[in-house]
Amino acid sequence: MLRQRRSITETEQAIQERLGGLPLQREAMAAVGNIHRAAAAIRQHLENSALRPHELTWTGFVVLWVLWIWGEAESWSVAEEAGISKGTLTGISQTLESRGLVARSPHPEDRRRVLLALTPKGENLMEELFPAFNAEEAFVAAPLDLAQCRQLAEGLRAIISQLETHGEQRRRDLLDGEKLTPRRSGRRPRQES
């Protein structure tokens, strides 16, 4: 069967057919599933509209955004704020540094720690780029009126707060005392020969 892009309506119908008899919390499933689909669609749109002319990926933009908003910061903090691993940040920051957008420097108290900051060129880029980025955010949210935008933002904020406040305990409860296994890339483990 050929792979094709399916609409959200087609996806919801297929889910109902597949899971129709299972006792599930369908509204929660629809909410979380639609958050995921919306986030992926928004990211793709913003990369292909506002970010592409500046040769930026989504992750590169998020790193610049974190540094633009918070100023100079240790690399571990930037990675945490951006929601990426330290390894991913290393690659992104090297690329941004090679383009003259980010500067890396050793921490004054411990040379093993790294500080990241926007360069003047990075500051100028964000000042130029962000209005175009925000115009695309407005395009994405155009089907909603201001009250609906606020309501959506508050609902998403409540979900984030739930995870920040109770997520770690929930993971511990689900593990029932077992240690959390390291995340994998999805590849199968190598077979010993």
Side-chain angles (χ1 to χ4, degrees):
M1 182 174 186
L2 292 176
R3 185 175 162 95
Q4 60 183 336
R5 176 163 267 191
R6 293 177 176 85
S7 72
I8 193 163
T9 304
E10 291 170 318
T11 300
E12 288 171 344
Q13 289 172 344
I15 291 168
Q16 178 59 32
E17 289 170 14
R18 171 66 72 176
L19 305 176
L22 295 175
L24 301 170
Q25 297 179 31
R26 295 187 193 299
E27 292 77 12
M29 180 179 70
V32 172
N34 287 341
I35 288 170
H36 175 73
R37 283 183 69 121
I42 292 166
R43 177 180 175 158
Q44 183 177 18
H45 174 76
L46 289 169
E47 280 188 332
N48 290 329
S49 59
L51 301 179
R52 183 166 287 176
H54 300 281
E55 298 179 356
L56 285 173
T57 63
W58 174 263
T59 309
F61 170 77
V62 171
V63 169
L64 292 174
W65 169 261
V66 167
L67 293 171
W68 194 43
I69 296 302
W70 295 108
E72 183 179 62
E74 284 193 60
S75 58
W76 66 266
S77 176
V78 175
E80 190 172 281
E81 277 295 320
I84 58 177
S85 71
K86 289 184 278 185
T88 298
L89 177 64
T90 298
I92 296 288
S93 64
Q94 287 173 345
T95 299
L96 296 173
E97 184 179 31
S98 74
R99 292 183 57 194
L101 302 172
V102 168
R104 292 187 301 168
S105 61
H107 192 284
E109 296 171 12
D110 183 347
R111 296 187 66 76
R112 295 172 294 178
R113 293 162 41 198
V114 175
L115 296 174
L116 297 175
L118 286 185
T119 62
K121 184 178 177 182
E123 290 273 349
N124 291 339
L125 173 65
M126 289 304 288
E127 288 171 9
E128 174 191 338
L129 167 60
F130 194 71
F133 187 91
N134 183 247
E136 294 310 308
E137 290 175 317
F139 168 79
V140 167
L144 308 176
D145 63 30
L146 291 178
Q148 290 171 316
C149 282
R150 284 187 202 101
Q151 184 178 15
L152 176 60
E154 289 171 13
L156 293 171
R157 197 174 290 114
I159 289 170
I160 293 165
S161 179
Q162 165 73 357
L163 294 172
E164 289 176 348
T165 305
H166 305 290
E168 187 61 34
Q169 184 60 51
R170 176 69 174 172
R171 288 185 288 279
R172 281 192 208 111
D173 293 347
L174 290 171
L175 289 170
D176 195 29
E178 296 291 319
K179 288 207 181 255
L180 185 64
T181 58
R183 284 198 284 180
R184 298 197 36 86
S185 65
R187 293 179 292 208
R188 293 181 184 194
R190 290 185 186 176
Q191 297 294 322
E192 297 290 326
S193 22

